[in-house]
């Protein structure tokens, strides 16, 4: 208990609570009596039995008969007409006068006046205001210099308490609530024990996580074990039997308790009870109702005065979202949707974010490979050792395809012919197929850098891989050798397709510079054409890079020994499900893409096996490459969504780059969407659980490994036509949304793709795998790189 003296000791100058003019009293005859007084309002109780105490802290007695107490117009009384509870109206120095006086219970401003001129600042001796600012005589007190506008002493917490003056100063800060009431005696300050027992429902996730957060917003610990949660008859849970995030049910002030309860549904009314008397309004402590009104315990909450009939919190947009309480009031308007729940923390706790840079790459590259090894008219593989001997190979291809033939100079150690332009030879320059065109002058002679040059004893006929290593291991042009037209002719002829599949090229390679049999074998004696390979591709440098070492995947076997089998097998290797590891299924651009992040258990954009949502934009992106409907749909769900820095579609080797900011600690996953353009309604996206953006320890994910979760989907909105050849496909159709409806409207993985562009036949990939690095093998179309910034 703290005791405070409110008068000055001997020898100390007293501070007045009013002006010097207020201290000079005028007796009834109008003449000053020359005495010095200093009277103040000293203690006030305005709830229960109302009392006002006046203290004379001056050195002389004072007659207060003609002083007045005033609350405002019409609410005033002359002290001489009031019968004191204690003390004398003629108040001695250091004396107390206690007067009964009717006061407002919650807010008011009481003035002590030396006359009945209540608007005259010179007549106002002292003033105190409580509960709120702006009482009737506040402006007079402000003008008198004894109060500050808007200030007030807080309302007492208990009707038995009073407010007391500290003896010094003129403001609300000089008054305090005390539990030790001392009318007629020296003031004693005993701070109230404001123990408040209060538990509220603070946050609820009723969609996926089924969690309830209780908050002790009182001032004392509370054991919640005996408390109950109730949704209605037969749906109740005592907290001591619940699964919670704490080992104890006792909740300290400011702490939270998170409870799991699977019975939460999309439209409920949740009550918190102190006992299991679920129909008793005295037992219900808190209540919230969402989704609709009229839940089983709504009437109990209404009777308890903690809810309004018919009031409810609107449903959340996604099942991962929660509803959160603002800390004040008992209405649905005190609750709002929380996109990023904060269970175990205050609802206003900031959620940190990580910025990610996401790159989506069109990795379509190797489209098919074909070996030529048996001369025309021969019964077994072999080289072209005489002029006029020929190899012939046929293959299908579509516009956009690059063409790289490769064959060894058989009378060398590791020299080979390949295109001069490392981009490859365009089979459709200007959109027109090469037909009856000799491309030999577009070839050059290269040294692979794997075997020392100029030793005829180690040419292919000596055996496989028998020569010494080259001291220069980089791939390079053989100087002074010109172009391939001095060694061969290489004529391409083209036959149109049937409208549902690609046309066919036939390459005829003819030897025109065979070695002179009368001369010693050397790399300067003609050109022996060996078995080789045709690679159809979409990106540059399919086999080698000038200035770099051989890649070690089989080109050495061609360049040194004229044996294409190893490189062919590398290209055609299959994964664990029997589908290609390196050959892309198709040559297709990707439509302008979008990415998004979600903290739901499954992707909110689409669900495999379901029909595309009418408003989701999935049909627009899958059929026509229009992403904006989907972008706005996802944005309206409140989740992070982003468009790339690049405009337009991307072809093989092209990238989309995105920047997206993702909240931490919310289990966000990445989703994306882009159209497989050479289709009617196919798109590439993740599986329905998305790509994790944070590791289990909370650190941000980085790398391309999550690309394994990318798949080719059929949206089920339009009937499928052959890849790249459908009249209703976006690059061929007359307008958007053109084409017959699909008989199967479910969204499903593309489990088989018939390659009519390059003649590889049907590629079966049950899961519809699209990442080129997937060990299962698949369609080899895409890579997604995630990097935190």
């Amino acid at each position: 208990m703290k005791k405070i003296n409110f008068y000055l000791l001997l020898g100390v100058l007293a501070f007045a609570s009013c002006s010097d003019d207020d201290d000079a009293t005028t007796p009834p005859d109008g003449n000053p009596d020359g005495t010095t007084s200093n009277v103040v309002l000293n203690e006030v109780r305005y709830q229960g039995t109302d009392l006002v105490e006046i203290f004379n802290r001056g050195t002389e007695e004072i007659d207060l008969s003609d002083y007045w107490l005033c609350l405002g117009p019409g609410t005033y009384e002359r002290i001489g007409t009031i019968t004191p509870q204690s003390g004398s109206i003629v108040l001695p120095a250091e004396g107390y006068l206690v007067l009964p006086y009717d006061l407002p219970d919650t807010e008011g401003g009481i003035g002590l006046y030396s006359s009945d001129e209540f608007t005259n600042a010179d007549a106002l001796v002292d003033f105190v205001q409580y509960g709120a600012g702006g009482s009737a005589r506040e402006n007079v007190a402000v003008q008198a210099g004894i109060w500050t506008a808007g200030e007030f002493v807080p309302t007492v917490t208990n009707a038995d308490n009073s407010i007391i003056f500290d003896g010094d100063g003129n403001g609300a800060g000089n008054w305090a609530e005390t539990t030790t009431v001392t009318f007629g005696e020296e003031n004693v300050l005993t701070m109230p024990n404001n123990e408040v027992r209060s538990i509220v429902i603070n946050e609820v996730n009723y969609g996926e996580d089924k969690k309830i957060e209780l908050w002790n917003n009182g001032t004392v610990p509370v054991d919640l074990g005996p408390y109950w949660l109730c949704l209605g008859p037969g749906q109740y849970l005592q907290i001591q039997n619940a699964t919670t995030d704490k080992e104890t049910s006792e909740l300290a002030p400011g702490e939270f308790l998170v409870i799991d309860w699977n019975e939460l549904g999309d439209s409920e009314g949740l009550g918190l009870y102190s006992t299991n008397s679920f129909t008793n309004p005295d037992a219900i402590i808190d209540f919230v109702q969402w989704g609709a009104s009229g839940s089983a315990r709504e009437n109990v909450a209404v009777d308890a005065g903690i809810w309004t009939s018919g009031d409810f919190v609107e449903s959340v947009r996604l099942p991962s979202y929660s509803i959160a309480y603002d800390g004040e009031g008992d209405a649905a308007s005190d609750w709002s949707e929380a996109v990023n729940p904060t269970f175990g923390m205050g609802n206003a706790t900031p959620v940190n974010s990580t910025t990610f840079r996401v790159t989506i790459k069109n990795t379509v590259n190797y489209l098919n490979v074909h070996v030529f090894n048996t001369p025309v008219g021969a019964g077994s593989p072999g080289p072209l050792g005489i002029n006029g001997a020929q190899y012939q190979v046929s293959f299908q291809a579509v516009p956009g395809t690059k063409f790289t033939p490769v064959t060894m100079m058989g009378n060398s150690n590791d020299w080979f012919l390949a295109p001069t332009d490392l981009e490859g030879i365009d089979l459709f320059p200007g959109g027109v197929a090469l037909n009856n065109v000799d491309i030999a002058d577009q070839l050059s002679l290269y040294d692979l850098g794997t075997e020392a040059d100029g030793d005829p004893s180690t040419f292919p006929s000596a055996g496989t891989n028998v020569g010494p290593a080259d001291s220069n291991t980089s791939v390079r042009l053989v100087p002074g050798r010109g172009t391939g037209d001095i060694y061969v002719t290489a004529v391409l002829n083209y036959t149109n397709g049937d409208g549902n599949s690609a046309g066919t090229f036939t390459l005829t390679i003819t030897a025109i510079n065979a070695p002179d049999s009368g001369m010693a074998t050397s790399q300067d004696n003609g050109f022996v054409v060996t078995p080789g390979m045709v690679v159809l591709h979409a990106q540059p440098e399919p086999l080698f890079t000038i200035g770099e070492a051989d890649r070690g995947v089989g080109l050495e076997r061609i360049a040194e020994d004229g044996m294409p089998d190893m490189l062919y097998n590398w290209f055609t290797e299959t994964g664990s499900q029997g589908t290609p590891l390196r050959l892309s299924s198709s040559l297709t651009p990707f439509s302008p893409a979008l990415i998004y992040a979600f903290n739901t258990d499954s992707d909110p954009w689409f669900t495999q096996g379901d029909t595309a949502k009418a408003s989701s934009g999935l049909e627009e992106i899958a059929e026509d490459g229009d992403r904006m409907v989907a972008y706005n749909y996802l944005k309206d769900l409140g989740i992070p969504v982003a468009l790339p820095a690049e405009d337009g579609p991307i072809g093989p080797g092209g990238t989309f780059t995105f920047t997206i900011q993702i909240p931490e600690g919310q289990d966000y996953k990445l989703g994306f969407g882009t159209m497989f353009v050479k289709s009617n309604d196919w798109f590439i996206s993740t599986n329905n659980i998305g790509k994790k953006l944070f590791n289990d320890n909370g650190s941000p994910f980085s790398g391309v490994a999550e690309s394994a979760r990318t798949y080719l989907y059929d949206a089920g909105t339009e009937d499928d036509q052959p890849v790249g050849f459908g009249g209703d496909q976006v690059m061929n159709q007359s307008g958007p949304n053109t084409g017959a409806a699909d008989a199967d409207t479910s969204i499903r993985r593309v489990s088989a793709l018939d390659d009519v562009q390059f003649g590889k036949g049907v590629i079966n990939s049950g899961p519809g795998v699209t990442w080129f690095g997937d060990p299962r093998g698949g369609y080899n179309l895409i890579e997604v790189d995630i990097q935190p910034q």
Side-chain angles (χ1 to χ4, degrees):
M1 179 181 296
K2 182 177 180 182
K3 184 174 181 179
I4 300 179
N5 292 319
F6 293 103
Y7 51 90
L8 299 177
L9 300 177
L10 292 175
V12 179
L13 179 64
F15 284 85
S17 63
C18 50
S19 68
D20 290 341
D21 290 341
D22 290 329
D23 290 336
T25 60
T26 303
D29 61 5
N31 295 319
D33 64 4
T35 60
T36 300
S37 66
N38 189 357
V39 290
V40 294
L41 297 170
N42 197 50
E43 185 170 5
V44 177
R45 184 168 63 194
Y46 51 84
Q47 292 183 6
T49 302
D50 296 350
L51 297 173
V52 175
E53 179 184 79
I54 300 171
F55 174 56
N56 181 358
R57 60 182 184 177
T59 59
E60 303 288 340
E61 69 176 24
I62 182 169
D63 186 351
L64 298 179
S65 300
D66 289 317
Y67 276 58
W68 294 73
L69 295 173
C70 179
L71 292 165
T75 52
Y76 45 80
E77 192 166 355
R78 188 167 68 88
I79 290 176
T81 66
I82 303 172
T83 301
Q85 185 186 73
S86 66
S88 171
I89 290 178
V90 179
L91 191 59
E94 300 185 4
Y96 300 90
L97 173 63
V98 180
L99 302 171
Y101 191 70
D102 191 22
L103 297 166
D105 284 344
T106 56
E107 58 184 70
I110 182 171
L112 174 63
Y113 285 81
S114 61
S115 72
D116 59 357
E117 299 176 83
F118 302 123
T119 60
N120 182 358
D122 291 335
L124 183 60
V125 176
D126 201 8
F127 178 82
V128 64
Q129 181 171 249
Y130 59 87
S135 62
R137 300 306 181 201
E138 179 191 65
N139 65 316
V140 184
V142 171
Q143 185 180 354
I146 61 174
W147 202 259
T148 301
E151 277 196 353
F152 61 92
V153 184
T155 304
V156 293
T157 60
N158 190 295
D160 294 331
N161 298 344
S162 64
I163 57 173
I164 56 174
F165 178 50
D166 69 3
D168 187 15
N170 296 305
N174 301 108
W175 287 80
E177 180 182 0
T178 183
T179 61
T180 304
V181 176
T182 57
F183 286 103
E185 300 176 6
E186 180 181 345
N187 287 345
V188 175
L189 177 61
T190 306
M191 299 297 292
N193 181 9
N194 293 324
E195 292 189 351
V196 178
R197 185 183 179 92
S198 177
I199 302 294
V200 296
I201 303 168
N202 197 52
E203 189 169 6
V204 179
N205 174 275
Y206 53 83
E208 289 181 345
D209 294 333
K210 311 287 188 184
K211 291 184 182 296
I212 302 162
E213 179 184 78
L214 302 181
W215 174 32
N216 183 346
N217 67 341
T219 61
V220 295
V222 178
D223 182 3
L224 293 180
Y227 283 51
W228 292 78
L229 295 168
C230 181
L231 296 168
Q235 291 181 288
Y236 40 78
L237 174 68
Q238 192 168 27
I239 294 175
Q240 64 188 15
N241 298 321
T243 300
T244 72
D245 65 339
K246 297 184 184 301
E247 293 182 358
T248 176
S249 59
E250 182 163 305
L251 208 58
E255 283 190 335
F256 304 90
L257 182 70
V258 181
I259 301 165
D260 297 329
W261 199 17
N262 285 331
E263 292 198 35
L264 296 176
D266 290 342
S267 178
E268 302 280 9
L270 175 65
L272 174 65
Y273 287 79
S274 59
T275 71
N276 59 351
S277 299
F278 301 124
T279 61
N280 182 359
D282 292 332
I284 193 168
I285 295 170
D286 201 11
F287 180 81
V288 62
Q289 179 171 249
W290 61 85
S293 61
S295 63
R297 300 306 181 202
E298 179 190 58
N299 64 315
V300 184
V302 171
D303 289 345
I306 59 173
W307 200 258
T308 300
S309 179
D311 212 5
F312 64 92
V313 184
E314 295 291 340
S315 298
V316 294
R317 289 171 289 177
L318 288 177
S320 57
Y321 298 173
S322 65
I323 55 172
Y325 178 50
D326 67 5
E328 298 183 18
D330 293 306
S333 58
D334 296 301
W335 289 78
S336 60
E337 178 185 79
V339 172
N340 298 304
T342 55
F343 287 99
M345 301 179 288
N347 292 342
T349 302
V351 177
N352 294 326
S353 296
T354 295
T355 299
F356 289 89
R357 180 181 174 88
V358 178
T359 303
I360 294 178
K361 183 176 182 180
N362 183 332
T363 59
V364 169
N365 192 10
Y366 304 127
L367 297 161
N368 211 348
V369 289
H370 299 270
V371 167
F372 51 86
N373 59 11
T374 301
V376 175
S380 60
L384 305 182
I386 61 173
N387 289 335
Q390 295 179 327
Y391 289 123
Q392 200 168 73
V393 60
S394 296
F395 52 87
Q396 289 179 278
V398 295
T401 307
K402 304 296 185 179
F403 161 67
T404 292
V406 58
T407 183
M408 179 192 184
M409 177 180 176
N411 48 319
S412 74
N413 289 90
D414 60 349
W415 293 357
F416 62 97
L417 275 179
T420 307
D421 186 349
L422 299 184
E423 296 271 340
I425 297 169
D426 188 352
L427 287 171
F428 292 85
V432 178
L434 294 175
N435 188 24
N436 197 28
V437 174
D438 187 351
I439 52 88
D441 62 351
Q442 299 184 52
L443 306 177
S444 292
L445 193 60
Y446 294 89
D447 185 333
L448 189 63
T450 57
E451 191 171 302
D453 297 327
D455 181 7
S457 67
T458 57
F459 287 176
S461 56
T464 302
N465 196 27
V466 296
D470 196 330
S471 60
N472 181 355
T473 60
S474 62
V475 182
R476 59 211 184 258
L477 284 166
V478 178
R481 289 288 176 158
T483 55
D485 54 345
I486 64 176
Y487 309 117
V488 297
T489 62
V491 178
L492 278 169
N493 288 289
Y494 179 73
T495 303
N496 287 325
D498 61 4
N500 290 312
S501 61
T504 300
F505 288 91
T506 299
L507 173 66
T508 303
I509 299 173
T510 304
I512 61 172
N513 193 354
D516 184 343
S517 59
M519 295 176 60
T521 302
S522 78
Q523 60 195 25
D524 297 315
N525 181 13
F527 191 104
V528 176
V529 184
T530 68
M533 178 182 292
V534 168
V535 180
L536 305 178
H537 57 98
Q539 298 186 46
E541 303 180 346
L543 297 177
F544 61 92
T545 300
I546 293 290
E548 296 184 5
D550 175 52
R551 298 173 185 174
V553 297
L555 182 57
E556 180 180 2
R557 290 286 292 273
I558 294 179
E560 289 185 8
D561 305 306
M563 301 172 66
D565 56 323
M566 181 177 175
L567 184 57
Y568 178 83
N569 291 337
W570 182 82
F571 274 118
T572 57
E573 184 181 358
T574 58
S576 61
Q577 63 175 352
T579 44
L581 283 174
R582 298 179 183 91
L583 295 180
S584 295
S585 66
S586 316
L587 178 57
T588 182
F590 295 165
S591 73
L594 80 163
I595 66 171
Y596 53 97
F598 56 94
N599 57 2
T600 46
D601 289 341
S602 62
D603 196 321
W605 189 34
F606 72 96
T607 300
Q608 185 176 328
D610 287 357
T611 300
K613 302 168 190 172
S615 59
S616 69
L618 183 65
E619 179 177 6
E620 285 80 359
I621 200 169
E623 288 187 11
D624 302 307
D626 178 4
R627 65 192 168 180
M628 293 312 298
V629 177
Y631 174 82
N632 290 322
Y633 172 82
L634 293 164
K635 186 178 180 181
D636 288 345
L637 291 178
I639 62 177
V641 59
L643 299 176
E646 298 80 9
D647 293 326
I650 57 170
T655 58
F656 292 124
T657 54
F658 304 81
T659 300
I660 191 167
Q661 194 171 41
I662 306 298
E664 299 170 4
Q666 297 290 324
D667 193 30
Y668 271 95
K669 283 81 66 175
L670 183 72
F672 73 91
T674 184
M675 181 188 184
F676 180 96
V677 170
K678 295 289 188 175
S679 73
N680 293 80
D681 62 344
W682 291 358
F683 66 101
I684 304 173
S685 188
T686 67
N687 63 8
N688 280 149
I689 62 172
K691 301 153 68 70
K692 290 183 65 173
L693 288 168
F694 295 93
N695 299 313
D696 291 341
N697 64 2
S699 63
F701 172 85
S702 65
V704 299
E706 286 293 300
S707 298
R709 299 182 187 274
T710 63
Y711 302 92
L712 183 60
Y713 289 92
D714 186 329
T717 58
E718 190 171 306
D719 194 30
D720 295 328
Q721 296 170 321
V723 172
F725 290 93
D728 296 325
Q729 292 171 1
V730 66
M731 297 182 75
N732 304 325
Q733 65 190 10
S734 59
N737 196 28
T738 302
D742 197 329
D744 181 353
T745 61
S746 64
I747 301 166
R748 66 245 188 220
R749 305 268 182 92
V750 176
S751 59
L753 187 156
D754 188 3
D755 175 18
V756 296
Q757 294 179 312
F758 300 96
K760 294 192 294 291
V762 176
I763 300 171
N764 292 299
S765 174
V769 177
T770 55
W771 179 37
F772 84 97
D774 198 306
R776 292 171 291 181
Y779 300 138
N780 301 317
L781 302 171
I782 198 168
E783 180 176 82
V784 180
D785 188 11
I786 302 170
Q787 295 296 332
Q789 302 299 295

